[in-house]
Amino acid sequence: MSNLIINRRRFLMGSAAAGSGLLLSGCDQFDFLGQRDNGVRNVIEQANVLTYKAQRALIGDQTLAREYSASEIRQGQKPNGSTEPSTPEYMFLRQQNFAPYKLKVTGMVDREIEFSLGELRNMPARSQITRHDCVEGWSCIAKWTGTPLGPVLDQAGVKPGARFCVYHCFDNIQRTLSGDIFYYESSDLIDAYHPQTILAYGLNDQVLPVANGAPVRLRIERALGYKQPKYLHTIQLVDDLTPFGLGKGGYWPDNGYDWYGGI
Ligand SMILES: Nc1nc2c(c(=O)[nH]1)N[C@H]1C(S)=C(S)[C@@H](COP(=O)(O)O)O[C@H]1N2
Ligand SMILES: [Mo]
């Protein structure tokens, strides 16, 4: 087990012990399908009681996901889930080769800002060869290139009371009688500021293809495939996940998967 996990767990346990019974009574809420372990442990691990101010103590002391060598890339990244969003907004951007695309940072920030693709590409870049694990039972090693999310959030100025990033996507993953359901995901700020968490616009030395999330998708390398939102348009800083979707923090968590989704 990595240092980070131990440190993080110990820190969070300390804060849980010092906190009220509210934390533990929240367990049942998170004890949903797909959870492999003990509910208390997972609630503690999720950092969901900590504000950015508190999470900052843990940022910077993080273990990296394993990185691979180029020779270990055996095939292209297998496209999964949405592979060709058909909403008018996305189809327009795609037709324009994503020139009008803007990534927005909104919510609990000092200033809401947006970045064009050109601006993102001009920010410090990072490439990493990592393994993507999908819960459906396949994995792919691929090289991802993008700009780290942390400095992007710093430009917006995360407010001390923020707890999570919500990642909003262009694709309507499901259509229902009451309207489209758009893919979304979320993470705590520890994962958002992790050095390998990047806004990826390149895949295996090519421009990120539509099938894999063009123009920008997030990589959170210590998390499962469904925590890697494609077709990203807005990152919203919040202190509560319950107003979004069915309230579990992501499209797949709303459908029973673990919110933290760590590997
Ligand atoms: N916007 C969006 N992001 C998404 C999905 C999706 O359907 N829509 N599927 C998720 C799942 S389950 C996986 S395994 C990966 C697949 O990414 P890939 O197509 O690049 O392999 O994206 C994740 N992010
Ligand atoms: Mo997946």
Side-chain angles (χ1 to χ4, degrees), residues 51-68:
T51 61
Y52 176 50
K53 213 172 155 192
Q55 291 184 45
R56 262 192 309 228
L58 302 171
I59 290 166
D61 181 27
Q62 306 206 51
T63 50
L64 298 181
R66 178 170 169 199
E67 294 194 14
Y68 295 78

Side-chain angles (χ1 to χ4, degrees), residues 77-82 132 171 173 183 212 217 225 228 230:
Q77 172 74 18
K78 172 187 149 70
N80 198 43
S82 299
H132 175 110
D171 56 314
I173 179 94
Y183 199 93
N212 301 101
R217 72 98 54 88
Q228 323 288 332
K230 310 197 276 189

